[in-house]
Amino acid sequence: MSRRTLDVIPKHRLLRRTLYGLLLAAPLLPGGMACGVKECEHGAPFLSGGPLARLPDGSLPENPSCETCPDQDAPLAYCLATTTSTGDAELRCTYYTCSNDGRRPEGLREPRGAGPADALGALFAHAAWLEAASVPAFLRLADELKAHSAPEVLVRAARRSAGDEVRHTRVMQALAQRHGATMPEVDLPPFEPRSLEEMLRENAVEGCVRETFGAFVAGWQGRTAEDPEVRSTLRAIARDEVRHAELAWAVDAWAHTRLSAAQREHLHQARLDALRSLGEEVERHQPPEPWIHGAGLPSREQARALFQGLAGLTA
């Protein structure tokens, strides 16, 4: 395949300049690799799932059920048995925040059930699930762009993005399996026909905001993860995710030629609303230590810096 065929979407210069500037500043941002384990573990996003019965020998169960974990706005990541300060056995439930990789399709149902005890396995399995869910999202985008007579360059880019996500799913599944975790099934109802404005609103929210932020996070992980396999995997994924974000912004630019002034304003407001919602997630973002060190996930202070870079593109 020629380079001309591959480079179907013009580079978004401001997006790339913003991302590269953030990554170059990575060692200088607060909460970097000098963060100690004790400091990073403080305030990890967990809740109690209630008391647990010990095994007959007095030990803690290795793979407890997560069914008693309380419902939260953030999806459940994993649960494990711990001992409280009084010596009682308790279920500790950890939740995802800033979980924005990929393009979530309409109607996607969040998986819930007994998660693996390995924190990294849970994270990689969830990432693989998000990548898998992005495949039908991009195929739907390609079909809808074609139906609305969008430039063929956008249709081809959307189909190529679906192929990228198939590859991303496989490599993230491999990382999850290395940590004893299995990717959940993607539970997605059949798509219904929708208007051009509805399609563009999803692109504004899932593409221009959340997928662009996901590209920033993947780029960060590809630079800071201590595990060399994770670093190389996320570095490759980040390159693709930047192109996916550029596709979202290219679709958004094309939309301005098809919408009325009032519709364009609605689209802009949808981006701002999505940005505000994401900012609230960033403020709740307090990843456990293994996610910061082993997977390179940004700390809350680092996520704030990435978010501010995104805000400069979206406002």
Side-chain angles (χ1 to χ4, degrees):
M1 187 176 288
S2 70
R3 180 173 178 82
R4 181 181 177 185
T5 304
L6 286 174
D7 292 341
V8 292
I9 296 295
K11 289 182 172 58
H12 193 301
R13 300 295 179 184
L14 179 57
L15 188 157
R16 288 177 180 255
R17 191 161 60 246
T18 300
L19 174 59
Y20 298 154
L22 288 166
L23 297 187
L24 285 174
L28 305 178
L29 292 176
M33 298 306 291
C35 170
V37 171
K38 189 172 183 180
E39 175 189 350
C40 291
E41 283 182 340
H42 179 69
F46 64 81
L47 291 175
S48 172
L52 280 179
R54 292 182 179 270
L55 298 177
D57 63 0
S59 62
L60 296 172
E62 289 187 3
N63 294 297
S65 169
C66 299
E67 290 300 320
T68 59
C69 289
D71 290 329
Q72 295 289 298
D73 291 336
L76 178 68
Y78 65 97
C79 64
L80 51 82
T82 62
T83 301
T84 68
S85 59
T86 59
D88 297 321
E90 182 183 55
L91 186 69
R92 177 176 292 185
C93 308
T94 299
Y95 298 82
Y96 295 105
T97 55
C98 292
S99 190
N100 305 297
D101 296 332
R103 179 182 284 245
R104 288 174 179 257
E106 181 183 22
L108 180 64
R109 300 184 182 98
E110 195 77 34
R112 180 179 173 85
D118 185 296
L120 285 174
L123 181 66
F124 296 143
H126 190 72
W129 173 79
L130 285 170
E131 302 286 8
S134 297
V135 177
F138 276 116
L139 292 176
R140 184 190 196 189
L141 177 64
D143 290 344
E144 289 181 324
L145 286 169
K146 190 172 184 65
H148 289 293
S149 303
E152 185 62 25
V153 65
L154 298 179
V155 178
R156 287 201 309 267
R159 287 179 179 154
R160 181 190 173 197
S161 297
D164 292 338
E165 301 293 15
V166 171
R167 187 175 65 257
H168 298 174
T169 301
R170 290 174 182 155
V171 296
M172 294 311 297
Q173 275 185 299
L175 286 177
Q177 290 167 359
R178 178 179 144 195
H179 289 271
T182 303
M183 184 190 84
E185 291 292 326
V186 174
D187 185 3
L188 189 64
F191 292 135
E192 298 289 339
R194 59 183 177 180
S195 67
L196 172 64
E197 191 171 3
E198 289 171 327
M199 178 201 79
L200 293 171
R201 184 185 185 283
E202 179 180 88
N203 180 73
V205 172
E206 294 296 329
C208 296
V209 175
R210 293 191 168 270
E211 195 162 34
T212 303
F213 187 71
F216 283 17
V217 171
W220 185 275
Q221 291 179 270
R223 183 176 174 87
T224 64
E226 289 183 350
D227 186 318
E229 183 180 356
V230 175
R231 265 201 321 276
S232 62
T233 297
L234 268 297
R235 195 175 297 125
I237 287 177
R239 287 194 292 268
D240 292 339
E241 296 297 347
V242 167
R243 286 190 294 98
H244 299 176
E246 289 174 327
L247 168 62
W249 285 100
V251 169
D252 191 77
W254 167 76
H256 279 243
T257 68
R258 300 293 302 271
L259 301 178
S260 67
Q263 288 173 319
R264 290 196 295 270
E265 179 57 32
H266 290 157
L267 207 59
H268 179 66
Q269 188 59 50
R271 285 200 305 272
L272 294 181
D273 290 344
L275 188 69
R276 181 171 57 253
S277 177
L278 177 59
E280 292 169 357
E281 292 179 30
V282 167
E283 289 306 309
R284 297 194 302 267
H285 177 67
Q286 294 180 351
E289 179 274 332
W291 292 3
I292 293 177
H293 290 279
L297 208 65
S299 67
R300 181 165 57 183
E301 287 301 317
Q302 294 163 345
R304 282 172 176 161
L306 298 179
F307 175 77
Q308 288 303 316
L310 172 66
L313 297 172
T314 308

